[in-house]
């Protein structure tokens, strides 16, 4: 083959593969077998390997690549990404339609679509090629997730040629919008794998989709089997189409994945009928929906109706009521929380509710169990709405068996056997023993959890084993673990000869690295992680803002604490009691010695960081091995306090920070007489926000 033949064969293969990808993912109508498809891909890969100069970013072989790094770049949306107003029932929906009818002077033609329960996404195509993908963020600014969205199979890397005809003249860049979602099947598989690995599971497919789109490594996103449904364009003027219906047709022609379940309606009855039908078939769909979106079809009429600051006035989401299922409650067990609260938990025969399998649901407290009159053996109604944890609504009395058992609250803690108390003014039963292993386990788990210190790999099973062997008693113990002891840790699984399987080097090393990284988490996360009663994420953030160091927080009086946003007398009392208890102070001191963040970081203070280092120029060289702080992170924190961080040493440099294996920059600093700081001094600057005091 001559060069021209090779290039045209490669292009023909790409077109063919794109066509079959579209047939398979967007239309669900494959025309060739998987084996034949794989063979086309193989040929393309081989040809590209021989002719690397012909590889282009839009080639189907180039979906996965690159690395996002520590942070996503922000993307300012040229047109705001709106939310939707909701109608919770037909009465509210009818009222909204009547409002639109009044403004327009007639019953508008409506376009009805499924409301996909995923995460909003904006895809920008320039000259037909995918150049950017961004999340909605706060509507005005989102995050650049291009590398990750490129791995989603039904997102075309270039638009089909058919699309060209629909573009308005002189338009060469368009932003398309829709939803990226995780099919129910992928979600179940992901959660099962997380469960096996002892990792936290996702609450629902929506969170799983959002989390998968925001991965640092596109390979991980690629493994999550995400899909999209595209239904909007940022600027309608870019296309020659005149209605939502025509837009969907054009999107389909352009090669995007468009949901097939759409209809147009001209009467209220048609609208109700479509909504009811979708509500009924909701369980049968392979992905989650949480309603129907009703849109005024004509673009001209849409512009007459306009927008509020939050949402279009020409569309509304008819929200489905939270899904309810019935199942048998075969037991009520008692869970001990990290603050010692005993919570009765309904043990259920597994049932799929709102996209995930539910086998346990909280019953809150003993009073609630009796108020709802749920008995062991009852068939109960279970509900799960969005993010909300599953809830038992009540029993189906007609199905109550004769031997249904009235539950009795425990007199002693099921974990440590100490007597149970009820504190004045509280309904909760509580175990007040400080040596209760269940409480310790929950505290340790909370510290490592995603909303606190986010120690990747510290799953339930590992934590439980470390508690069992007495190696983890409090959260500071994490920082004295060694790679050797973790590698030798026996798991609960055994090999063929009945010997326990050990954790092994690779997992141990990863976990050690994650523990190390956790030292640099924000101060708010540390405060949340400590698990003070009544202090969750929001309160921890408010505290970190008001008292930007542990020292300041410990010196605050109860009255002062009560003035912090969201902190009242009760919360202030609980914080003060916690911070004045000697055992807790000892743990905090050990955390501090281990190098865990004890003062507000840039993340804590947002834009309000005092510019105490303004006018100073820093150069960082060598690795910051002791603190595990990356150079990027260190320079980010210095810059946040107003310092300039540059790459080369000159007479104008105020300080050179030399980590391990510092090279020529160190030498140059010495030559020029620029003060050289070590890592410990850097950490002091970051903590205090003050320039170093030089002897
Ligand atoms: P909510 O997040 O509940 O306010 O609902 C608004 C969101 O629904 C939008 O931002 C979209 O991400 C999402 N959505 C899902 N399906 C559709 C659809 N067919 N049309 C418009 N928005 C949709």
């Amino acid at each position: 083959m001559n060069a021209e033949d090779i290039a045209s064969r490669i292009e023909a293969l790409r077109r063919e593969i794109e066509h079959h990808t579209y047939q398979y993912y967007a239309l669900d109508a494959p025309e060739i077998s998987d084996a034949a498809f794989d063979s086309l891909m193989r040929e393309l890969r081989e040809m590209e390997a021989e002719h690397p100069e012909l590889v282009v970013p839009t080639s189907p072989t180039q979906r996965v690549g690159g690395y996002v790094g520590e942070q996503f770049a922000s993307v300012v949306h040229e047109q705001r990404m709106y939310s939707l107003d909701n109608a919770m029932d037909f009465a509210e929906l009818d009222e909204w339609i009547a409002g639109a009818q009044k403004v327009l002077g007639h019953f508008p033609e409506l376009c009805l679509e499924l409301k996909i329960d995923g995460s909003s996404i904006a895809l920008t195509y320039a000259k037909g090629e995918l150049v950017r993908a961004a999340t909605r963020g706060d509507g005005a600014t989102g995050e650049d997730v291009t590398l990750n969205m490129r791995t989603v199979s039904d997102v075309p890397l270039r638009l089909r040629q058919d699309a060209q005809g629909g573009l308005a003249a002189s338009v060469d860049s368009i932003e398309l919008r829709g939803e990226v979602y995780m099919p129910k099947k992928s979600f179940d598989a992901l959660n099962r794998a997380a469960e096996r690995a002892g990792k936290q599971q996702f609450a629902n497919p929506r969170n799983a989709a959002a989390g998968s789109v925001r991965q640092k490594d596109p390979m991980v996103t690629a493994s999550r089997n995400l899909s999209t449904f595209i239904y909007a364009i940022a600027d309608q003027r870019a296309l020659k189409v005149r209605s939502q219906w025509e837009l969907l047709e054009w999107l389909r022609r352009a090669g995007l994945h468009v949901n097939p379940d759409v209809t147009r309606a001209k009467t209220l009855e048609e609208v109700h009928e479509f909504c009811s039908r979708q509500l009924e078939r909701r369980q049968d769909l392979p992905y989650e929906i949480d309603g129907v979106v009703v849109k005024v079809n004509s673009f001209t009429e849409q512009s007459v109706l306009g927008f509020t600051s939050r949402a279009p006035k020409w569309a509304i989401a008819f929200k489905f009521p939270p899904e309810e299922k019935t199942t048998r409650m075969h037991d009520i067990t008692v869970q001990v929380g990290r603050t010692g609260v005993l919570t009765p938990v309904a043990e259920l025969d597994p049932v799929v509710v709102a996209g995930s399998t539910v086998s346990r649901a909280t019953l809150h407290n003993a009073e609630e169990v009796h108020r709802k009159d749920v008995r062991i053996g009852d068939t109960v109604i279970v509900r799960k709405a969005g993010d909300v944890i599953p809830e038992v609504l009540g029993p189906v009395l007609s199905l109550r068996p004769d031997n249904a058992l009235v539950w009795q609250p425990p007199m002693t803690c099921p974990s440590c056997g100490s007597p149970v108390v009820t504190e004045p003014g509280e309904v909760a039963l509580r175990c007040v023993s400080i040596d209760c292993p269940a409480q310790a386990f929950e505290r340790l788990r909370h510290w490592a959890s995603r909303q606190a210190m986010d120690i990747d790999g510290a799953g339930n099973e590992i934590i439980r084993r470390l508690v069992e062997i007495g190696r983890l008693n409090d959260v500071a113990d994490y920082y004295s673990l060694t790679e050797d002891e973790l590698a030798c840790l026996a798991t609960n699984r055994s090999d063929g000869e009945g010997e326990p399987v050990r954790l092994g080097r690779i997992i141990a090393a990863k976990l050690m690295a994650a523990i190390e990284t956790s030292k640099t988490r924000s101060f708010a996360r540390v405060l949340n992680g400590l698990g003070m009663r009544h202090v969750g994420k929001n309160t921890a953030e408010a505290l970190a803002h008001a008292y930007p160091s542990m020292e300041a927080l410990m010196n605050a009086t109860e009255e002062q604490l009560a003035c912090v946003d969201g902190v009242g007398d009760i919360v202030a009392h609980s914080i003060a009691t916690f911070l004045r208890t000697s055992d807790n102070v000892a743990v905090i001191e050990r955390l501090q010695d281990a190098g865990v963040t004890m003062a507000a970081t840039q993340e804590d203070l947002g834009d309000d960081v005092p510019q105490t280092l303004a006018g100073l120029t820093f150069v960082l060289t060598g690795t910051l091995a002791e603190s595990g702080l990356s150079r990027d992170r260190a320079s980010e924190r210095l810059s946040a306090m107003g310092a300039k961080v540059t790459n080369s040493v000159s007479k104008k440099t105020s300080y050179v920070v030399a980590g391990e294996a510092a090279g020529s920059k160190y030498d140059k600093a010495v030559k020029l007489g620029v003060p050289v700081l070590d890592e410990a001094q850097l950490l002091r600057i970051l903590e205090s926000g003050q320039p170093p005091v030089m002897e």
Side-chain angles (χ1 to χ4, degrees), residues 72-73 75 77 120-125 130-136 142-150 155 175-176 213:
F72 294 95
V75 172
H77 299 301
S120 302
I121 196 80
L123 305 172
T124 305
Y125 288 85
L130 178 69
V131 291
R132 193 165 76 183
T135 61
R136 178 166 80 176
E143 287 177 323
D144 186 330
V145 289
T146 314
L147 290 177
N148 291 337
M149 284 305 295
R150 284 177 62 92
V155 170
E175 186 184 318
L176 307 177
V213 168

mmCIF file of all heavy atoms in Angstrom, residues 72-73 75 77 120-125 130-136 142-150 155 175-176 213:
data_model
loop_
_atom_site.group_PDB
_atom_site.id
_atom_site.type_symbol
_atom_site.label_atom_id
_atom_site.label_comp_id
_atom_site.label_asym_id
_atom_site.label_seq_id
_atom_site.Cartn_x
_atom_site.Cartn_y
_atom_site.Cartn_z
ATOM 1 N N PHE A 72 -9.073 19.430 38.959
ATOM 2 C CA PHE A 72 -9.648 19.684 37.645
ATOM 3 C C PHE A 72 -9.565 21.184 37.376
ATOM 4 O O PHE A 72 -9.780 21.980 38.287
ATOM 5 C CB PHE A 72 -11.118 19.268 37.645
ATOM 6 C CG PHE A 72 -11.310 17.791 37.819
ATOM 7 C CD1 PHE A 72 -11.541 17.245 39.065
ATOM 8 C CD2 PHE A 72 -11.235 16.948 36.728
ATOM 9 C CE1 PHE A 72 -11.710 15.887 39.225
ATOM 10 C CE2 PHE A 72 -11.399 15.582 36.875
ATOM 11 C CZ PHE A 72 -11.635 15.049 38.125
ATOM 12 N N ALA A 73 -9.286 21.530 36.136
ATOM 13 C CA ALA A 73 -9.296 22.952 35.791
ATOM 14 C C ALA A 73 -10.742 23.427 35.829
ATOM 15 O O ALA A 73 -11.658 22.647 35.542
ATOM 16 C CB ALA A 73 -8.710 23.126 34.405
ATOM 17 N N VAL A 75 -14.014 25.524 34.482
ATOM 18 C CA VAL A 75 -14.534 25.951 33.190
ATOM 19 C C VAL A 75 -15.669 26.929 33.468
ATOM 20 O O VAL A 75 -16.618 26.587 34.174
ATOM 21 C CB VAL A 75 -15.121 24.738 32.431
ATOM 22 C CG1 VAL A 75 -15.837 25.188 31.177
ATOM 23 C CG2 VAL A 75 -14.038 23.734 32.112
ATOM 24 N N HIS A 77 -18.855 28.488 32.272
ATOM 25 C CA HIS A 77 -19.824 28.194 31.209
ATOM 26 C C HIS A 77 -20.229 29.484 30.505
ATOM 27 O O HIS A 77 -20.603 30.453 31.179
ATOM 28 C CB HIS A 77 -21.076 27.533 31.788
ATOM 29 C CG HIS A 77 -20.793 26.233 32.466
ATOM 30 N ND1 HIS A 77 -20.229 25.172 31.813
ATOM 31 C CD2 HIS A 77 -20.982 25.820 33.735
ATOM 32 C CE1 HIS A 77 -20.086 24.161 32.655
ATOM 33 N NE2 HIS A 77 -20.529 24.530 33.829
ATOM 34 N N SER A 120 -25.217 16.293 35.271
ATOM 35 C CA SER A 120 -25.228 17.123 34.050
ATOM 36 C C SER A 120 -23.840 17.184 33.429
ATOM 37 O O SER A 120 -22.849 17.277 34.146
ATOM 38 C CB SER A 120 -25.578 18.566 34.361
ATOM 39 O OG SER A 120 -26.794 18.659 34.961
ATOM 40 N N ILE A 121 -23.828 17.228 32.115
ATOM 41 C CA ILE A 121 -22.534 17.306 31.435
ATOM 42 C C ILE A 121 -22.661 18.208 30.210
ATOM 43 O O ILE A 121 -23.716 18.245 29.588
ATOM 44 C CB ILE A 121 -22.042 15.879 31.050
ATOM 45 C CG1 ILE A 121 -20.580 15.870 30.710
ATOM 46 C CG2 ILE A 121 -22.862 15.250 29.936
ATOM 47 C CD1 ILE A 121 -19.687 15.846 31.903
ATOM 48 N N ALA A 122 -21.605 18.958 29.911
ATOM 49 C CA ALA A 122 -21.589 19.804 28.716
ATOM 50 C C ALA A 122 -20.442 19.340 27.827
ATOM 51 O O ALA A 122 -19.315 19.198 28.299
ATOM 52 C CB ALA A 122 -21.384 21.256 29.117
ATOM 53 N N LEU A 123 -20.751 19.071 26.555
ATOM 54 C CA LEU A 123 -19.724 18.595 25.622
ATOM 55 C C LEU A 123 -19.540 19.650 24.541
ATOM 56 O O LEU A 123 -20.499 20.031 23.877
ATOM 57 C CB LEU A 123 -20.176 17.289 24.950
ATOM 58 C CG LEU A 123 -20.578 16.131 25.884
ATOM 59 C CD1 LEU A 123 -21.198 14.992 25.059
ATOM 60 C CD2 LEU A 123 -19.371 15.629 26.657
ATOM 61 N N THR A 124 -18.314 20.114 24.377
ATOM 62 C CA THR A 124 -18.077 21.122 23.344
ATOM 63 C C THR A 124 -17.391 20.468 22.150
ATOM 64 O O THR A 124 -16.386 19.769 22.307
ATOM 65 C CB THR A 124 -17.196 22.261 23.883
ATOM 66 O OG1 THR A 124 -17.828 22.776 25.038
ATOM 67 C CG2 THR A 124 -17.027 23.363 22.854
ATOM 68 N N TYR A 125 -17.975 20.690 20.968
ATOM 69 C CA TYR A 125 -17.379 20.201 19.732
ATOM 70 C C TYR A 125 -16.925 21.409 18.918
ATOM 71 O O TYR A 125 -17.711 22.320 18.666
ATOM 72 C CB TYR A 125 -18.395 19.389 18.928
ATOM 73 C CG TYR A 125 -18.680 18.041 19.561
ATOM 74 C CD1 TYR A 125 -19.639 17.915 20.562
ATOM 75 C CD2 TYR A 125 -17.966 16.911 19.183
ATOM 76 C CE1 TYR A 125 -19.883 16.692 21.156
ATOM 77 C CE2 TYR A 125 -18.201 15.672 19.776
ATOM 78 C CZ TYR A 125 -19.156 15.569 20.765
ATOM 79 O OH TYR A 125 -19.381 14.356 21.376
ATOM 80 N N LEU A 130 -14.688 16.593 19.491
ATOM 81 C CA LEU A 130 -14.875 16.825 20.926
ATOM 82 C C LEU A 130 -13.630 17.495 21.496
ATOM 83 O O LEU A 130 -12.538 16.930 21.442
ATOM 84 C CB LEU A 130 -15.108 15.495 21.656
ATOM 85 C CG LEU A 130 -15.268 15.611 23.173
ATOM 86 C CD1 LEU A 130 -16.576 16.318 23.532
ATOM 87 C CD2 LEU A 130 -15.223 14.243 23.838
ATOM 88 N N VAL A 131 -13.791 18.708 22.005
ATOM 89 C CA VAL A 131 -12.625 19.398 22.558
ATOM 90 C C VAL A 131 -12.726 19.593 24.057
ATOM 91 O O VAL A 131 -11.727 19.790 24.732
ATOM 92 C CB VAL A 131 -12.373 20.772 21.884
ATOM 93 C CG1 VAL A 131 -11.914 20.587 20.460
ATOM 94 C CG2 VAL A 131 -13.614 21.649 21.959
ATOM 95 N N ARG A 132 -13.946 19.531 24.576
ATOM 96 C CA ARG A 132 -14.044 19.736 26.015
ATOM 97 C C ARG A 132 -15.307 19.118 26.593
ATOM 98 O O ARG A 132 -16.350 19.091 25.943
ATOM 99 C CB ARG A 132 -14.054 21.226 26.323
ATOM 100 C CG ARG A 132 -13.831 21.480 27.806
ATOM 101 C CD ARG A 132 -13.482 22.893 28.063
ATOM 102 N NE ARG A 132 -14.673 23.725 27.976
ATOM 103 C CZ ARG A 132 -14.646 25.037 28.097
ATOM 104 N NH1 ARG A 132 -13.508 25.665 28.264
ATOM 105 N NH2 ARG A 132 -15.746 25.727 28.023
ATOM 106 N N ALA A 133 -15.184 18.614 27.809
ATOM 107 C CA ALA A 133 -16.351 18.161 28.554
ATOM 108 C C ALA A 133 -16.265 18.798 29.919
ATOM 109 O O ALA A 133 -15.199 18.848 30.518
ATOM 110 C CB ALA A 133 -16.346 16.646 28.665
ATOM 111 N N ALA A 134 -17.400 19.336 30.380
ATOM 112 C CA ALA A 134 -17.379 20.020 31.682
ATOM 113 C C ALA A 134 -18.592 19.627 32.510
ATOM 114 O O ALA A 134 -19.676 19.376 31.971
ATOM 115 C CB ALA A 134 -17.364 21.536 31.468
ATOM 116 N N THR A 135 -18.404 19.587 33.819
ATOM 117 C CA THR A 135 -19.532 19.324 34.715
ATOM 118 C C THR A 135 -20.316 20.615 34.918
ATOM 119 O O THR A 135 -19.840 21.688 34.574
ATOM 120 C CB THR A 135 -19.045 18.861 36.099
ATOM 121 O OG1 THR A 135 -18.258 19.921 36.665
ATOM 122 C CG2 THR A 135 -18.212 17.599 36.005
ATOM 123 N N ARG A 136 -21.505 20.505 35.524
ATOM 124 C CA ARG A 136 -22.288 21.706 35.744
ATOM 125 C C ARG A 136 -21.680 22.586 36.832
ATOM 126 O O ARG A 136 -21.729 23.800 36.759
ATOM 127 C CB ARG A 136 -23.720 21.341 36.130
ATOM 128 C CG ARG A 136 -24.539 22.585 36.413
ATOM 129 C CD ARG A 136 -26.003 22.327 36.468
ATOM 130 N NE ARG A 136 -26.387 21.774 37.755
ATOM 131 C CZ ARG A 136 -27.621 21.521 38.112
ATOM 132 N NH1 ARG A 136 -28.587 21.731 37.259
ATOM 133 N NH2 ARG A 136 -27.900 21.031 39.285
ATOM 134 N N GLY A 142 -17.948 25.110 36.080
ATOM 135 C CA GLY A 142 -17.870 23.663 36.307
ATOM 136 C C GLY A 142 -16.427 23.205 36.251
ATOM 137 O O GLY A 142 -15.503 24.020 36.319
ATOM 138 N N GLU A 143 -16.235 21.906 36.118
ATOM 139 C CA GLU A 143 -14.887 21.364 36.084
ATOM 140 C C GLU A 143 -14.617 20.702 34.742
ATOM 141 O O GLU A 143 -15.513 20.093 34.149
ATOM 142 C CB GLU A 143 -14.716 20.320 37.190
ATOM 143 C CG GLU A 143 -14.634 20.934 38.556
ATOM 144 C CD GLU A 143 -14.540 19.890 39.658
ATOM 145 O OE1 GLU A 143 -15.182 18.831 39.538
ATOM 146 O OE2 GLU A 143 -13.829 20.132 40.628
ATOM 147 N N ASP A 144 -13.378 20.813 34.311
ATOM 148 C CA ASP A 144 -12.991 20.234 33.036
ATOM 149 C C ASP A 144 -12.741 18.733 33.215
ATOM 150 O O ASP A 144 -11.793 18.331 33.870
ATOM 151 C CB ASP A 144 -11.717 20.927 32.549
ATOM 152 C CG ASP A 144 -11.332 20.478 31.150
ATOM 153 O OD1 ASP A 144 -11.634 19.319 30.798
ATOM 154 O OD2 ASP A 144 -10.743 21.280 30.410
ATOM 155 N N VAL A 145 -13.631 17.920 32.645
ATOM 156 C CA VAL A 145 -13.506 16.468 32.800
ATOM 157 C C VAL A 145 -13.350 15.802 31.422
ATOM 158 O O VAL A 145 -13.815 14.685 31.199
ATOM 159 C CB VAL A 145 -14.719 15.883 33.564
ATOM 160 C CG1 VAL A 145 -14.685 16.278 35.034
ATOM 161 C CG2 VAL A 145 -16.035 16.327 32.939
ATOM 162 N N THR A 146 -12.701 16.533 30.509
ATOM 163 C CA THR A 146 -12.590 16.056 29.129
ATOM 164 C C THR A 146 -11.965 14.664 29.044
ATOM 165 O O THR A 146 -12.515 13.768 28.385
ATOM 166 C CB THR A 146 -11.741 17.046 28.293
ATOM 167 O OG1 THR A 146 -12.199 18.357 28.569
ATOM 168 C CG2 THR A 146 -11.859 16.757 26.817
ATOM 169 N N LEU A 147 -10.819 14.489 29.714
ATOM 170 C CA LEU A 147 -10.114 13.207 29.572
ATOM 171 C C LEU A 147 -11.010 12.053 30.014
ATOM 172 O O LEU A 147 -10.987 10.972 29.429
ATOM 173 C CB LEU A 147 -8.827 13.215 30.400
ATOM 174 C CG LEU A 147 -7.726 14.131 29.881
ATOM 175 C CD1 LEU A 147 -6.529 14.107 30.810
ATOM 176 C CD2 LEU A 147 -7.308 13.717 28.477
ATOM 177 N N ASN A 148 -11.787 12.298 31.050
ATOM 178 C CA ASN A 148 -12.657 11.237 31.548
ATOM 179 C C ASN A 148 -13.842 10.984 30.628
ATOM 180 O O ASN A 148 -14.191 9.843 30.352
ATOM 181 C CB ASN A 148 -13.142 11.584 32.955
ATOM 182 C CG ASN A 148 -12.002 11.514 33.952
ATOM 183 O OD1 ASN A 148 -11.014 10.825 33.700
ATOM 184 N ND2 ASN A 148 -12.116 12.223 35.043
ATOM 185 N N MET A 149 -14.462 12.053 30.132
ATOM 186 C CA MET A 149 -15.644 11.863 29.284
ATOM 187 C C MET A 149 -15.278 11.253 27.928
ATOM 188 O O MET A 149 -16.106 10.619 27.289
ATOM 189 C CB MET A 149 -16.399 13.185 29.095
ATOM 190 C CG MET A 149 -17.208 13.609 30.299
ATOM 191 S SD MET A 149 -18.387 12.358 30.880
ATOM 192 C CE MET A 149 -19.526 12.255 29.498
ATOM 193 N N ARG A 150 -14.023 11.444 27.506
ATOM 194 C CA ARG A 150 -13.607 10.807 26.248
ATOM 195 C C ARG A 150 -13.694 9.291 26.334
ATOM 196 O O ARG A 150 -13.821 8.610 25.326
ATOM 197 C CB ARG A 150 -12.148 11.191 25.927
ATOM 198 C CG ARG A 150 -11.961 12.588 25.386
ATOM 199 C CD ARG A 150 -10.475 12.865 25.195
ATOM 200 N NE ARG A 150 -9.880 11.952 24.229
ATOM 201 C CZ ARG A 150 -9.765 12.189 22.934
ATOM 202 N NH1 ARG A 150 -10.184 13.339 22.459
ATOM 203 N NH2 ARG A 150 -9.216 11.311 22.138
ATOM 204 N N VAL A 155 -20.090 8.632 23.760
ATOM 205 C CA VAL A 155 -19.785 10.040 23.452
ATOM 206 C C VAL A 155 -18.936 10.057 22.183
ATOM 207 O O VAL A 155 -17.809 9.569 22.193
ATOM 208 C CB VAL A 155 -18.997 10.705 24.605
ATOM 209 C CG1 VAL A 155 -18.480 12.078 24.195
ATOM 210 C CG2 VAL A 155 -19.865 10.802 25.841
ATOM 211 N N GLU A 175 -21.859 23.718 21.942
ATOM 212 C CA GLU A 175 -21.818 23.054 23.249
ATOM 213 C C GLU A 175 -23.126 22.289 23.441
ATOM 214 O O GLU A 175 -24.201 22.883 23.450
ATOM 215 C CB GLU A 175 -21.648 24.105 24.345
ATOM 216 C CG GLU A 175 -21.456 23.480 25.697
ATOM 217 C CD GLU A 175 -21.375 24.503 26.813
ATOM 218 O OE1 GLU A 175 -20.714 25.548 26.637
ATOM 219 O OE2 GLU A 175 -21.992 24.245 27.854
ATOM 220 N N LEU A 176 -23.009 20.981 23.570
ATOM 221 C CA LEU A 176 -24.187 20.135 23.735
ATOM 222 C C LEU A 176 -24.271 19.718 25.195
ATOM 223 O O LEU A 176 -23.252 19.571 25.862
ATOM 224 C CB LEU A 176 -24.067 18.903 22.838
ATOM 225 C CG LEU A 176 -23.776 19.242 21.379
ATOM 226 C CD1 LEU A 176 -23.602 17.972 20.564
ATOM 227 C CD2 LEU A 176 -24.900 20.097 20.799
ATOM 228 N N VAL A 213 -17.119 10.377 37.003
ATOM 229 C CA VAL A 213 -16.704 11.413 36.058
ATOM 230 C C VAL A 213 -15.562 12.237 36.655
ATOM 231 O O VAL A 213 -14.749 12.806 35.949
ATOM 232 C CB VAL A 213 -17.913 12.326 35.729
ATOM 233 C CG1 VAL A 213 -17.481 13.575 34.995
ATOM 234 C CG2 VAL A 213 -18.921 11.566 34.899
#
